[in-house]
Amino acid sequence: MALTTVRRDLVSRPLFDLAGKAMPPLSPTESEAIDAGDAWLDATIFTGDPDWSQLLAVPPARLSAEERAFLDGPVETFCAMIDDWKISWESRDLPPEAWDFLKREGFFGMIIPKRHGGLGFSAYGHSEVVRKIASRSAAAAVTAMVPNSLGPGELILSFGTDEQRDHWLPRLADGREIPCFGLTSADAGSDAAAMTDEGVVCRGQWDGRDVLGIRLSWSKRYITLAPVATVLGLAFKLRDPDHLLGDEEEIGITVALVPTDLPGVTIGRRHLPSMQPFQNGPTSGEDVFVPIDHVIGGAERVGQGWKMLMSALAAGRGISLPSLSAASAAFAAHTTGAYARIRAQFGLPIGQFEGIQERLARVAGNAYLLDGARRLTCAGLDQGHHPAVIASIMKLHATERMRIVVNDAMDVHGGKAIIEGPRNYLASLYRAVPVGITVEGANILTRSLMVFGQGAIRAHPYLLDEIRALGNPDPQQALVQFDDKFWRHVGHFVRTALRASFRSWTGGLFAPAPRGTGRARRFYRQLSRYSAAFALTSDIAFLTLGGELKRRELLSARLGDILSELYLAAAALKRWQDEGRQAADWPLLHYCMETSFQTIEQRFDEILANLPYPPVRRMLRFFIMPFGRRRRGPSDRLIRQVAGLLLKPSATRDRLTDGIYIGSDEEPVGQLGRAFRLVNEVQPIHDRLRKAGHKDWRKARLEGLVDDRQAAALAAAEAAVATVIAVDDFAPEELAHRRGDPAYREAAE
């Protein structure tokens, strides 16, 4: 005890004073964001010694019988009602019967419990619905997913009063009320704390009575469903100048429910986000009065809006956009592999060219990894976790990989994908990509500030406790707390340094890996090695930069990339394990691991080149990368193997693309699937004729080498391919939007 006191006074106190100056205090919004949600698998990665049994113990995501029936019934029916070309270029909206169907079948109430009239689906069930619809139409998927994501429904469910739940949730579930959520202000995009939308506590008239309430004025934009919404969840800054609620005047960000038919509310005008015709637009209000009980959670919840929003995002960001991104990747794998097989150039299917195979492998690998990460994240949410950092990782990297995959799909399809028309099944998805990149936290901001910036504080074993000790207003208690956590942190740092050094110098050969994981055990060893290196690098960055690390966004982004790759690679391993360690799927897993390891080592190398103080850089390189960058990504042989999985029917290909909407053989994707099937069926005939020296089956038929049945099959395959590779064209008057258009006049003359 005496020794502890001496240590505290002689060593910890100067360090406490130094840290207090170097580490800026958390802002209220930062503190609330960190308190929202919880840490999960990200915390075990941050220890530097992951407990892989925790990963493997997560129950695989499974659909209930009710959820499966909903996917096979109403979701399939809804997808069949959607013509993406028509809603994008003609009606600019879902057809009325589709809106009615969404309401009648309860799509807007997937997250609402059955006791309140909703479907009560799991996070995974919700995700599967969004994923399937997204494979048909991004605009339709957004329409269905937004009421189940960040908005009034989730906020009322989590924070509302009993009266609010009883009144609003049944009406939201059955579509009597269409919700939207107003967060983004005209002058404050990502910086929500800078919003100028205001509410003032006052008294006013409501249903002929004088009541305590709030007078609101706002101007919001980019609000999905705003043009058709009947109730607006509004985020604003609340003031109480007359102290009607208490002593505090500047109460802070608050969320209230505002019926859109109130006097002073303006809705109806539309944005057109990247030519995606889902309902999105501005909303404004001037001197709009609502009673105080319209605050979500009632008067007791005033000023808690930011914490509520961050808590909701901790779950929502892990479902909606990752589901849409996973759908895009699976859809791209299905269509691009099939197209590369049926489309021939220079006498060969284009899928046999290595330049195409490089793109196909990237599409397949990302499709495998993204869906594994989506399933694992949903499983965690269904266990009751609200992993805010992992949700940020998912939103960021799912949408970024969607961008890569869709670009690759476009490149492989070539002219087929750039000619607009009803036959084009990729262009609408291509236009939707920037929307996913931008919404629910722009990716630049998420990567630079959130993944590692919040992840380090939330998931690090000691850092948050140290920061809170520094902010304790009681100096003596603060020093005691800091002393305890700091020296625990020192012990952790020493152990991590030794662990990282040993694992790096031995190439991870002796790093821990769980039993019962088959051939993948070596990959767990590498992740254990990189996790230790990541934990050590993080601590070195904190030690050398302190609070400055928050402003060194490039370093923070690279550290976040490493954390993200560790989680995503672990998710791919979990998928392989949950699916029974399918030998045929091994090339996909191997590709994902090699790609992740290459990215991790590249980011470490970039960090080591940019940390301050050359001696620190040299020391850290000695500990974590003594032999330099060794990982170069997938080999050419592996790329060819993975690409080949998309070029012919197989159980692996089916697992990779399971759950997407295909449609009938009369629709473009269905036609592609039919051509793919027929081309593969007649391939043995072509192989036989090629060995006999024949390239033209029609000439071979004249020589009796092809019978009538085979000729019919070959002709059917050719016709099917011709149908698929055809593109649309239009008369000038079809493209003219008004009579004054020169093209229209030329056609008329």
Side-chain angles (χ1 to χ4, degrees), residues 604-682:
F604 273 131
D605 195 46
E606 292 166 352
I607 291 167
L608 290 169
N610 289 282
L611 278 172
Y613 313 122
V616 173
R617 295 200 297 266
R618 288 192 291 270
M619 180 273 294
L620 186 56
R621 186 176 291 277
F622 177 84
F623 273 90
I624 68 169
M625 293 187 73
F627 307 110
R629 286 172 55 184
R630 307 296 296 272
R631 296 289 182 170
R632 298 178 176 83
S635 67
D636 292 353
R637 180 173 178 272
L638 180 57
I639 287 171
R640 290 191 292 269
Q641 284 182 315
V642 173
L645 296 174
L646 297 184
L647 296 173
K648 58 186 178 182
S650 68
T652 294
R653 192 179 193 278
D654 290 343
R655 281 189 290 272
L656 197 63
T657 61
D658 182 50
I660 64 172
Y661 180 78
I662 303 299
S664 71
D665 284 355
E666 303 303 314
E667 299 176 83
V669 178
Q671 291 170 342
L672 174 63
R674 179 173 180 272
F676 179 66
R677 184 179 70 253
L678 293 177
V679 166
N680 277 286
E681 287 175 355
V682 301

Side-chain angles (χ1 to χ4, degrees), residues 455-467:
I457 297 173
R458 185 192 302 270
H460 191 283
Y462 301 105
L463 187 60
L464 181 57
D465 290 334
E466 290 169 330
I467 292 174

Side-chain angles (χ1 to χ4, degrees), residues 685 688-689 692 694 697 699-707 710:
I685 304 174
R688 177 171 59 82
L689 294 177
H694 286 277
W697 66 266
K699 292 181 179 179
R701 185 185 184 192
L702 295 175
E703 297 178 17
L705 297 176
V706 175
D707 60 28
Q710 293 169 333

Side-chain angles (χ1 to χ4, degrees), residues 331-342 351 360 363 412-413 643 645-648 653 672 676:
F331 182 81
H334 175 81
T335 56
T336 310
Y339 190 81
R341 175 63 185 87
I342 70 167
L360 292 177
V363 169
V412 172
H413 279 77
L645 296 174
L646 297 184
L647 296 173
K648 58 186 178 182
R653 192 179 193 278
L672 174 63
F676 179 66

Side-chain angles (χ1 to χ4, degrees), residues 66 81 197 223 243 264 295 299 405 424 571 644 658:
E66 188 176 4
M81 299 170 72
D197 312 292
I223 310 304
H243 303 286
V295 171
V405 163
N424 191 326
D658 182 50

Side-chain angles (χ1 to χ4, degrees), residues 442-455:
N443 281 8
I444 292 176
L445 173 71
T446 303
R447 178 173 181 259
S448 299
L449 297 176
M450 294 180 66
V451 172
F452 183 77
Q454 291 185 11

Side-chain angles (χ1 to χ4, degrees), residues 184-375:
T184 305
S185 301
D187 298 324
S190 298
D191 184 8
M195 71 172 68
T196 55
D197 312 292
E198 185 179 70
V200 178
V201 180
C202 62
R203 302 196 70 85
Q205 293 293 308
W206 186 263
D207 290 339
R209 296 178 296 113
D210 180 70
V211 299
L212 182 65
I214 304 170
R215 192 162 298 279
L216 297 158
S217 294
W218 72 88
S219 178
K220 303 286 191 180
R221 61 185 178 188
Y222 312 145
I223 310 304
T224 299
L225 297 185
V228 296
T230 61
V231 59
L232 164 66
L234 182 69
F236 58 93
K237 287 184 175 178
L238 182 63
R239 295 192 302 113
D240 185 13
D242 297 327
H243 303 286
L244 298 176
L245 292 177
D247 295 334
E248 198 170 2
E249 183 170 330
E250 301 293 334
I251 295 177
I253 296 175
T254 301
V255 180
L257 299 167
V258 182
T260 59
D261 60 357
L262 291 179
V265 178
T266 300
I267 61 168
R269 294 190 63 81
R270 293 181 61 179
H271 300 309
L272 192 57
S274 196
M275 294 301 291
Q276 294 299 302
F278 59 87
Q279 292 284 341
N280 183 282
T283 174
S284 61
E286 189 68 32
D287 290 330
V288 179
F289 181 81
V290 295
I292 197 69
D293 61 11
H294 277 47
V295 171
I296 294 180
E300 293 76 14
R301 290 282 187 180
V302 296
Q304 298 183 26
W306 188 244
K307 183 175 182 179
M308 292 160 62
L309 296 176
M310 291 300 98
S311 179
L313 277 175
R317 268 195 295 216
I319 299 176
S320 297
L321 288 171
S323 302
L324 192 150
S325 301
S328 302
F331 182 81
H334 175 81
T335 56
T336 310
Y339 190 81
R341 175 63 185 87
I342 70 167
R343 184 71 165 115
Q345 295 281 277
F346 310 106
L348 291 172
I350 63 172
Q352 292 188 22
F353 293 95
E354 288 193 348
I356 299 293
Q357 290 173 345
E358 181 182 26
R359 305 304 180 95
L360 292 177
R362 196 155 56 202
V363 169
N366 276 305
Y368 186 84
L369 181 138
L370 278 183
D371 216 54
R374 177 186 69 94
R375 295 180 196 179

